[in-house]
């Protein structure tokens, strides 16, 4: 049933978000859920972005409760 599977996915997503907020590594979280290494990082980013769009709160307030984004590696000048 769609509602049951949606609820299951919501519960999984919240568990992933809780672990990310508590400091667990994204790769470890993803591995524990049988997913690729970037799965949990992308999932948390999607939740954060939806929260920014839909909450009505100031971005600084919303971002304060999410883990800091992983900085992109800066390529060394050739």
């Amino acid at each position: 049933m769609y509602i049951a599977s949606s609820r299951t996915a919501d519960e999984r997503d919240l568990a992933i978000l809780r672990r990310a907020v508590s400091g667990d590594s994204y790769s470890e979280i993803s591995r524990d859920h049988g997913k690729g290494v970037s799965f949990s990082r992308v999932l948390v980013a999607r939740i954060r972005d939806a929260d920014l769009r839909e909450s009505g709160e100031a971005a600084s307030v919303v971002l304060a409760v999410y883990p800091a984004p992983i900085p992109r590696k800066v390529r060394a000048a050739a």
Side-chain angles (χ1 to χ4, degrees):
M1 177 170 261
Y2 177 74
I3 293 173
S5 65
S6 177
R7 175 65 185 236
T8 300
D10 287 349
E11 293 296 329
R12 179 206 60 201
D13 295 352
L14 287 172
I16 289 170
L17 181 57
R18 282 187 205 101
R19 286 186 63 188
V21 168
S22 73
D24 290 356
S25 76
Y26 288 117
S27 58
E28 180 181 354
I29 298 167
S30 296
R31 186 174 47 252
D32 290 349
H33 285 273
K35 304 289 185 180
V37 294
S38 64
F39 175 79
S40 61
R41 178 182 47 79
V42 171
L43 177 73
V44 169
R46 288 180 179 166
I47 294 169
R48 180 200 62 223
D49 294 348
D51 198 0
L52 284 166
R53 280 191 313 272
E54 300 168 13
S55 72
E57 299 285 341
S60 61
V61 172
V62 173
L63 294 174
V65 298
Y66 285 91
I70 298 172
R72 296 184 184 268
K73 292 181 181 178
V74 179
R75 291 185 180 182

